[in-house]
Amino acid sequence: MLDKIKHIRKMNMNPILKKELRLGSRSIRIPLAVMFYDIVLAAIAVINIAVVSMGNRMAEDINFSGYLSVFQVIGWTQLGITMLIVPILTAGSIAGEREKQTLEIMLTTPKKPITIICGKLLASLSNYLIFVISSIPIMAIAFVLGGMNWFALLGYIVMVIVLAVYLGSIGVFCSSVFKKTIISIVMSFLLEGLILSIPFCIFFGVIIVVELVAEIYNDAMLNTAAAWWDPNFGILPLILTVHPLTGFFDYMMRVMNLTSISEILKSANCFGKIMPILANAWIPLNIICSGGISYFFLRMAAKSLNPLKKGKKKKIAAQNRYMQAQQKKPAGVPPQEQAQLYQPQQPPANGQATQPPVPDMNGITERLTQPDLPARQEQKESQ
Amino acid sequence: MVTIHNLTKSYGRFRALNNLNLHIDQGDIFGFVGPNGAGKTTTMRIICGLLQADWGEVYIDGVDALMHNDMIKRKVGYVPDFFGVYDNFKVMEYMEFYGSMYDLNGETLHKTILGLLDLVNLSDKQDAYVDGLSRGMKQRLCVARALIHNPKLLILDEPASGLDPRARFEMKEVLKNLGAMGKTIIISSHILPELGEMCNSIGVMEKGNLVASGKVEEITRRSRHSNPLTIRVLDNKDTAIQILKQTPWVEKISIRDDSIIIAFSGDDEEMSQLLSALVTGGVKVSNFHREPGNLETLFLEITGGAKDAR
Ligand SMILES: Nc1ncnc2c1ncn2[C@@H]1O[C@H](COP(=O)(O)OP(=O)(O)OP(=O)(O)O)[C@@H](O)[C@H]1O
Ligand SMILES: [Mg+2]
């Protein structure tokens, strides 16, 4: 029974993921990087604990929730590192395969481009996951010392993985669009920065514009409304729902018992009763949005890998039908192209002009027995 | 097995394939020759579904390859003109990976791989790293890889390029075995005489068009007729030339030492007539022969000029 399950699971595993895991297990690069990463995180944690303990000693009173800041510091550090390493891990995935010239061969197999893309993304994320999992013990210091629960940690990991999938999709997308690994890495950082900053730009842009307008008209009501935390403005943070970082911020703020963005949303007095519900479901909503955007990027990546486009197929079919209709004309090439096409092949005046250059399958074409066709002459002249 | 009709492909404004027509029978070993840039690789990539054609039709085993490219992937094995190998993989793992790309696994896959490695003479290299294989071995490994799903059609892009004579011989043996197994094979190459040994039909491509194609014997016989005729005479050279000048099929006469070399357009029948005319005319003919058909010269002839040939 167990054997059977194992067998089925083996069968269903993405072959590219399997291959990557196999190859990855041979390389020393990832373990080294993880070790370095954990040393850095541990150092940050130790410094943080030392600072908090010093504060406690001076206050002559133990404040356990102070140790929560260990979680916070590690959490934010990890976020930053995620934004840094995920593009590097993913941006080389398809481009590297292309550089090794193995992508072409993969594309001749029946596996669909989306399978290749997903296999590559999962392989990169599994490497990333090693980083995250290895950091759990360091983050767990926060609850050994108090002020944290397991649930919060689990939530944190979910949030950071959602973000990694999001960034990874952008990386894989760049990797399949841009041919060189280096260019792909640079472009995925650029795209990452752009996409992460656009919602914020809109958000603060609107606020600045409203503020300016209020200034000009000296409108007291608008002026107060311009403060982004103002309940009347509650609709605006909704723009940020599509932004994976805000979900992360919101989560961290909740864990730290700070006023989160969703709290502000809740008190907004627009949309009536829907708003509080939206606000409560903000983090799941955010996850769904991130998932949707990731899916979009993965689809686009698969599309750019596929050498045969659907629309183009229809065009070919239409063209072929057209050519069949034109069969009587020389080889049925669209009229505007005929002249350009057949000039070199037309024999001067031996009555062959109407024959398309279709080779005679049982023998040899005219070219052999009549060696002095214009095409050859041209070539000789050009030498 | 493969029928190509009016296939056209442009790269920007440059037309790489120009209404190409081609037919390959089931079980044929088809040699695809042509100078650099003739469009051989382009054609092969379109057949494999790696490249989009502008228009035209490609039928493989009765399936429209341009419209249903997912259906032909299990019918076609492709060996490109580069290796495409993973350095950190062992031969066995490399094969297993491609097997899993075709949803093959377990014991059946293992057996298939062993059979294929045996076929390409790499049985003893199962546990060697792909990285450490020689060029010829890598090339053969790629052939084995392309056969993992037992395709009906095998497409090889310049399988002999960069190989030394021995490796080339081994590759040839592998291809011969495959031919004996009844596979349809398309091989592209610049080295025409070698293709002549391996293939039973060839197509000569130039500037995106097939300029000649047919069975190998047919083509060599044809090409023979364009080769010069050498006649060695012991004396009476002037009489001989006189007779030759009267013969309608003789086009050009040149004299080198005691040999007369003529361009002769007649067939074998007319050749024997010429010989008897010479003999009855009192010429002592000591040697009368035509250079045997040679694919190399044929290739140069068709593609017009030695410069393009290599
Ligand atoms: N990706 C591309 N972009 C632009 N032009 C291309 C591209 N690939 C091929 N070509 C052009 O198309 C023509 C045919 O190329 P192809 O590779 O099919 O020739 P080939 O017969 O395989 O030549 P070779 O014997 O050198 O391999 C060449 O003139 C080449 O310059
Ligand atoms: Mg080529």
Side-chain angles (χ1 to χ4, degrees), chain A residues 41 44-76 136-149 152-153 252 255-257:
Chain A
L41 280 191
I44 291 173
V46 166
I47 291 169
N48 198 267
I49 290 166
V51 170
V52 172
S53 304
M54 211 114 78
N56 280 344
R57 206 171 299 160
M58 278 192 233
E60 291 176 346
D61 160 33
I62 294 178
N63 171 16
F64 280 106
S65 68
Y67 290 114
L68 204 57
S69 66
V70 176
F71 173 75
Q72 199 187 8
V73 167
I74 301 290
W76 290 116
I136 289 178
I138 300 169
M139 291 184 87
I141 295 172
F143 29 169
V144 174
L145 298 174
M148 263 288 283
N149 61 26
L153 184 64
M252 288 302 270
V255 170
M256 307 314 300
N257 294 320

Side-chain angles (χ1 to χ4, degrees), chain A residues 252-281:
Chain A
M252 288 302 270
M253 285 169 175
R254 274 167 189 238
V255 170
M256 307 314 300
N257 294 320
L258 298 172
T259 316
S260 62
I261 304 171
S262 49
E263 290 297 318
I264 298 165
L265 274 180
K266 216 182 277 180
S267 55
N269 54 4
C270 49
F271 287 159
K273 280 182 182 152
I274 305 172
M275 209 59 195
I277 300 170
L278 273 181
N280 276 334

